[in-house]
Amino acid sequence: MLKTTYFTPMKVLLIDSLAEECTEILEKAGIQAVSRPGIPPDELKEEIKDYEGVILRSGARIAEEVLTNAHRLRAICRAGVGVDNVDIEGATKRGIVVMNTPEGNTISAAEHTIALLFAMARKVSQAHKSLQKGEWEKKKFTGSQLSGKTLGVIGLGRIGRQVAKRAAALEMKVIAFDPYISPEIAAQYPIHKVDSLEELLGQADFVTIHVPLNNSTRNLITKREFELMKRGVGIVNASRGGIVSERDLYDAIVSGKVSGAAIDVFEVEPPRGNKLLELEQVIATPHLGAQTEEAQKAVAVEAAELMVDALTGRGFRNALNLPVASPEEFEQLRPFIGIAEKMGTFLMQLTDCGVRTVTLIYAGDIARKNTRLVTDSFLVGLLRPCLEEGANLVSAPVLAMEKGIEVSVTTSSLCGNFTNLVTARVKTGKVECSLTGAIFNGGEARIVNIDGYNVEALLEGNMLVIYAKDKPGLIGSVGTLLGKRNTNIARMTFGRKQAGGTAILIINVDGPVSLDVQEEIRRLENVNSVRMVYLA
Ligand code: NAD
């Protein structure tokens, strides 16, 4: 008989207009793409519950309120750079990865900045309007030459660097302020790096801003900063509205301190009733920085590719709320990620969900890799037995912090005969427990030490962990009892520190062992404690 299998394809919601290549790439990967540009927030809140992914540009917004309903959502991708329209914290808490496509529109945004700079300096827009009115004014539109002038670039990131390169080619002297860029990186660009914003503002004939909008850059340029600038300075802002105070810019223009401003971004977009637009010294464009065919296509393609990778388990590139791992890095880390997660689940069950502090020690090759992902995997596993909905790589660090679990990470050069070791030490209020895992050639993962006992155990399935006195007959008595209770042993590992001391017995069994049987084992001669651990 022919059996038909129905399955629901994964769905991605596009809530801004995106180049058609975006839909094509998603559908080719078997993911259904639904385009709803301009969907109102209340409808989005309802609609989002059916989707695994959302792609947006700068027009739409994903607020906390919307996320409360996003039960299936696993990934949000912003086609572009700025993610101030996505509630990253809310997404992180819910285990939703947030990604962006920072490269695709860099050149277009830099070119637009230069276009605004020229247009402002040569009053192109004002002269054009005047000509349309039938006027032939020349003196009124006397401009200033860029060559030989000083351009102050605030924020020497992707776009700032491209602006700097282009401005230098125009024979401008470029100075830049970016406290987070090392002198070595700055030295690769034709700029002079200054040490403070004040220094830049005091020297620049033109100032252009290329920082992200966040709590420390909101109102970065206000009355105080305008006062520090040269009289007659020109301002370009093609970064984000809210970084330059519009009210203070208005006052600075009216007072003559600022001779002109070229603005692509506004505190409120579209900027209805914005007084700046009434000033003849201001030229403005409606957030056009990335609005070129090339940039639109590049960000849409990149967003779709990132989404496909994220939803099909190929890894999270450009994740903003995850430790970054390239696909290659992810591949190298995969065995460690796997074993770390199981170690977390194992230790949490062994300690009755009471873990207060965690120390992860990486030794060997792994110590030189990006261990954040491995640490977070450990936390995913650790939290799994004590959280209703579990945790994932994105939400685990936040949830661990919320639960008051202190996490510290160190590296060690002590690796013994192994090439890699991952040791996890956990403490509850009462007990301390440790587990060491090793990855062997070929990627096989095994536990090689538990609480100081050398073992060779596979972390899988149902495991009985028994601490006992190392006396003859121990293994036999446990095995016999399990046999009588119809429990099949799949694998058994024994470890001891010295003959006649305490020993550990780890038994992989084919099915769960009831509490009654566990109690029977506990009552066997020489047995100190018994615990059942379940691993996926
Ligand atoms: P980026 O992250 O590559 O660079 C930002 C730089 O700003 C970083 O080097 C950072 O160190 C620096 N920075 C942060 N805080 C600073 C501070 N207080 N003072 C000085 N420097 C600081 O970002 P990017 O891709 O270059 O984008 C820059 C801006 O342009 C962002 O706001 C982005 O949203 C915006 N953007 C606008 C458009 C548009 O259409 N107008 C298009 C793309 C990007």
Side-chain angles (χ1 to χ4, degrees):
M1 198 177 75
L2 195 69
K3 198 174 160 205
T4 313
T5 309
Y6 295 99
F7 77 100
T8 324
M10 284 189 280
K11 288 169 79 181
V12 171
L13 186 62
L14 315 181
I15 58 174
D16 270 315
S17 298
L18 286 133
E20 60 192 26
E21 284 83 355
C22 184
T23 302
E24 285 167 18
I25 291 169
L26 291 169
E27 304 223 312
K28 211 170 152 196
I31 296 169
Q32 190 184 338
V34 177
S35 189
R36 295 284 312 269
I39 180 172
D42 48 339
E43 275 183 47
L44 176 61
K45 188 180 166 190
E46 187 52 31
E47 181 84 5
I48 205 164
K49 63 181 175 14
D50 297 327
Y51 292 83
E52 278 82 13
V54 171
I55 301 182
L56 76 166
R57 292 186 52 222
S58 62
R61 168 164 292 277
I62 300 189
E64 166 87 39
E65 173 70 2
V66 167
L67 290 172
T68 53
N69 238 6
H71 307 302
R72 293 170 66 149
L73 199 64
R74 284 157 49 197
I76 297 171
C77 189
R78 158 79 163 96
V81 184
V83 279
D84 40 292
N85 52 342
V86 177
D87 182 345
I88 298 191
E89 207 182 309
T92 304
K93 266 193 194 168
R94 291 173 176 81
I96 302 163
V97 63
V98 180
M99 302 169 287
N100 69 348
T101 64
E103 301 293 341
N105 55 28
T106 299
I107 300 296
S108 290
E111 285 184 358
H112 193 60
T113 304
I114 298 292
L116 289 173
L117 185 62
F118 265 126
M120 175 178 67
R122 301 305 298 269
K123 302 185 169 63
V124 172
S125 173
Q126 295 89 334
H128 173 70
K129 263 194 235 156
S130 152
L131 199 57
Q132 279 183 321
K133 280 195 257 162
E135 297 165 1
W136 186 256
E137 299 266 13
K138 288 168 73 85
K139 198 159 185 298
K140 187 176 169 190
F141 298 121
T142 305
S144 53
Q145 190 172 292
L146 294 183
S147 176
K149 298 282 167 26
T150 299
L151 176 68
V153 177
I154 304 176
L156 200 61
R158 283 173 293 256
I159 297 171
R161 292 172 199 186
Q162 295 303 327
V163 168
K165 271 167 73 175
R166 282 155 180 74
L170 299 173
E171 299 177 342
M172 296 187 84
K173 177 184 174 202
V174 185
I175 57 173
F177 170 65
D178 189 326
Y180 309 109
I181 294 292
S182 68
E184 292 75 30
I185 296 279
Q188 296 169 15
Y189 295 87
I191 58 142
H192 169 67
K193 188 174 186 281
V194 295
D195 293 331
S196 69
L197 185 58
E198 289 72 20
E199 200 182 334
L200 179 142
L201 298 176
Q203 293 179 28
D205 300 303
F206 297 92
V207 171
T208 182
I209 296 125
H210 301 286
V211 299
L213 175 65
N214 56 36
N215 286 341
S216 64
T217 60
R218 194 177 296 281
N219 286 322
L220 185 70
I221 308 293
T222 59
K223 185 168 185 274
R224 173 190 164 269
E225 285 71 36
F226 285 120
E227 277 166 6
L228 296 171
M229 293 182 197
K230 282 184 175 177
R231 193 161 182 84
V233 66
I235 307 286
V236 182
N237 186 12
S239 59
R240 276 283 174 275
I243 296 170
V244 177
S245 158
E246 290 180 354
R247 195 194 53 204
D248 294 350
L249 175 60
Y250 181 91
D251 292 343
I253 294 172
V254 171
S255 74
K257 182 78 188 210
V258 170
S259 66
I263 311 167
D264 187 45
V265 288
F266 298 86
E267 283 170 9
V268 177
E269 294 182 1
R272 292 204 181 89
N274 189 317
K275 278 171 63 188
L276 276 172
L277 297 175
E278 295 165 12
L279 297 174
E280 61 168 13
Q281 296 93 329
V282 172
I283 60 165
T285 46
H287 206 140
L288 290 187
Q291 200 72 29
T292 62
E293 286 191 7
E294 292 82 356
Q296 294 308 297
K297 188 174 157 189
V299 295
V301 166
E302 200 183 346
E305 289 172 349
L306 291 178
M307 187 56 81
V308 170
D309 282 358
L311 295 185
T312 57
R314 267 181 259 160
F316 306 109
R317 278 182 292 135
N318 295 356
L320 299 165
N321 54 350
L322 248 193
V324 178
S326 64
E328 300 75 45
E329 200 181 14
F330 195 80
E331 272 315 304
Q332 289 172 2
L333 293 173
R334 197 189 284 277
F336 297 97
I337 291 171
I339 196 169
E341 188 177 332
K342 288 183 171 179
M343 285 166 68
T345 306
F346 186 94
L347 282 171
M348 195 55 127
Q349 292 178 77
L350 217 56
T351 54
D352 275 338
C353 282
V355 172
R356 299 267 51 96
T357 64
V358 168
T359 306
L360 282 158
I361 306 156
Y362 295 103
D365 292 349
I366 180 70
R368 287 182 287 278
K369 293 193 167 70
N370 177 3
T371 52
R372 276 286 302 276
L373 209 51
V374 184
T375 302
D376 292 351
S377 296
F378 176 83
L379 296 177
V380 169
L382 189 80
L383 293 168
R384 178 164 295 132
C386 48
L387 286 178
E388 176 74 15
E389 293 183 20
N392 64 27
L393 284 173
V394 181
S395 63
V398 180
L399 292 170
M401 201 168 68
E402 278 180 2
K403 288 181 77 61
I405 299 173
E406 264 178 48
V407 182
S408 60
V409 178
T410 73
T411 56
S412 163
S413 52
L414 301 175
C415 214
N417 294 328
F418 301 96
T419 30
N420 289 292
L421 287 178
V422 179
T423 298
R425 247 181 231 145
V426 299
K427 279 189 200 168
T428 71
K430 298 179 199 140
V431 292
E432 198 176 329
C433 233
S434 78
L435 206 57
T436 299
I439 303 296
F440 293 86
N441 288 339
E444 200 200 4
R446 265 180 263 159
I447 293 302
V448 293
N449 192 286
I450 299 182
D451 276 341
Y453 298 92
N454 289 330
V455 292
E456 209 179 279
L458 283 178
L459 287 186
E460 62 182 19
N462 308 292
M463 303 173 82
L464 267 175
V465 183
I466 300 169
Y467 285 91
K469 282 192 201 90
D470 176 31
K471 295 281 181 197
L474 173 70
I475 296 177
S477 63
V478 175
T480 307
L481 179 71
L482 286 173
K484 276 194 201 155
R485 299 292 170 256
N486 214 15
T487 300
N488 202 29
I489 296 176
R491 193 183 159 93
M492 189 183 279
T493 308
F494 178 80
R496 64 180 188 183
K497 290 179 191 168
Q498 72 213 37
T502 315
I504 188 168
L505 200 55
I506 300 167
I507 306 173
N508 293 76
V509 284
D510 282 347
V513 176
S514 71
L515 285 174
D516 288 348
V517 176
Q518 288 181 44
E519 187 50 39
E520 279 188 73
I521 299 171
R522 196 168 293 119
R523 285 203 300 264
L524 288 173
E525 203 186 350
N526 295 321
V527 170
N528 298 339
S529 69
V530 180
R531 190 164 294 275
M532 187 77 210
V533 174
Y534 302 96
L535 291 164

